[in-house]
């Protein structure tokens, strides 16, 4: 149960829910409640499908490309830290800057699911977690992932109410707090990769 809770929390912050909410509100401005919920449903389903593919085929991808898990930990840790830094600094993710001004017929998959929910840093981190999950941990990891996406969906469903309660300033503060948590996760992933490289050298 503790592993499920920890995995859920990690994925919840990884998806930067309050930043996603800010983007969702901007992209669906003027839409009806029914239309907003349809967009939220499609975005969550698309994000879930992409995440499951990444978790199951991450190890195979490493093998095909000849990339070690520790190398990917270092790279994804750096990307995640850059994403966290952008949230703390100005409340945006680098890959999503300017998206609210784009006009699209269906924004649920692009740009909401990708790259707002599932961006480069998120992809790298999910690949690392997927490679780490073994046996029953994989099932628990998937459950944690789905719980995080369900939580994100609830937040998007309640978007209008949350916006009224917190206002733009409140949402921005929550995005910055999310960035701080992500920076700690990034440091842990990065150091895990570094230690993976150093341990054989020290023992040798």
């Amino acid at each position: 149960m503790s592993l499920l809770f920890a995995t859920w929390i990690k994925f919840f912050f990884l998806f930067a829910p309050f930043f996603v909410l800010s983007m969702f509100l901007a992209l669906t401005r003027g839409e009806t409640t029914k239309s907003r919920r349809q967009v939220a449903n499609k975005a969550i389903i698309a994000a879930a499908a992409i995440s499951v593919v990444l978790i199951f085929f991450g190890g195979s991808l490493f093998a095909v490309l000849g990339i070690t898990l520790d190398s990917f930990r270092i790279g994804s840790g750096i990307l995640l830290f850059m994403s966290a830094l952008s949230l703390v600094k100005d409340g945006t993710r680098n890959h999503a800057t300017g998206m609210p001004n784009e006009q699209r017929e269906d924004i649920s998959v692009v740009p909401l699911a990708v790259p707002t929910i599932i961006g480069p840093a998120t992809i790298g981190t999910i690949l690392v977690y997927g490679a780490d999950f073994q046996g029953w941990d994989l099932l628990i990891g998937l459950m944690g992932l789905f719980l995080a996406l369900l939580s994100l969906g609830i937040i998007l469903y309640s978007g209008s109410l949350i916006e009224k309660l917190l206002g733009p300033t409140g949402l921005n503060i929550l995005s910055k707090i999310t960035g701080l948590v992500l920076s700690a996760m990034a440091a842990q992933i990065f150091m895990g990769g570094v230690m993976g490289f150093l341990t054989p050298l020290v023992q040798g």
Side-chain angles (χ1 to χ4, degrees):
M1 184 62 70
S2 59
L3 178 59
L4 175 61
F5 180 77
T7 306
W8 166 47
I9 292 298
K10 285 181 179 179
F11 277 122
F12 179 76
F13 281 101
L14 179 63
F15 292 133
F18 298 105
F19 166 73
V20 173
L21 175 60
S22 298
M23 291 294 297
F24 173 75
L25 292 172
L27 290 166
T28 59
R29 188 72 64 195
E31 299 287 340
T32 64
T33 300
K34 181 180 179 180
S35 178
R36 278 186 164 183
R37 290 184 174 180
Q38 289 176 342
V39 170
N41 289 337
K42 293 172 67 175
I44 294 299
I45 291 172
I50 294 169
S51 298
V52 169
V53 170
L54 292 172
I55 284 180
F56 277 103
F57 296 101
S60 301
L61 180 62
F62 293 151
V64 170
L65 297 179
I67 300 174
T68 65
L69 180 58
D70 290 324
S71 298
F72 209 89
R73 280 195 180 103
I74 292 174
S76 62
I78 292 172
L79 276 176
L80 186 58
F81 182 78
M82 291 174 63
S83 181
L85 186 63
S86 65
L87 279 175
V88 173
K89 184 178 179 181
D90 53 19
T92 63
R93 281 185 174 180
N94 290 332
H95 59 260
T97 302
M99 282 184 183
N101 295 324
E102 296 183 6
Q103 297 297 322
R104 301 176 186 269
E105 292 183 2
D106 185 0
I107 50 88
S108 56
V109 178
V110 179
L112 192 55
V114 180
T116 304
I117 299 175
I118 307 292
T122 312
I123 290 172
T125 307
I126 291 175
L127 284 171
V128 169
Y129 285 162
D132 283 338
F133 292 143
Q134 299 293 333
W136 284 106
D137 288 351
L138 178 60
L139 177 60
I140 295 174
L142 286 173
M143 291 174 62
L145 169 68
F146 290 138
L147 281 174
L149 286 172
L150 177 62
S151 301
L152 177 59
I154 293 173
I155 289 175
L156 296 184
Y157 262 54
S158 308
S160 298
L161 177 61
I162 295 174
E163 185 180 31
K164 290 178 180 178
L165 292 174
L166 300 179
T169 302
L171 288 175
N172 189 39
I173 291 173
L174 289 176
S175 292
K176 292 181 184 298
I177 293 174
T178 301
L180 290 173
V181 176
L182 286 180
S183 66
M185 291 173 58
Q188 185 178 31
I189 294 171
F190 177 84
M191 289 307 299
V194 171
M195 293 303 296
F197 275 115
L198 293 180
T199 300
L201 296 177
V202 174
Q203 292 178 346

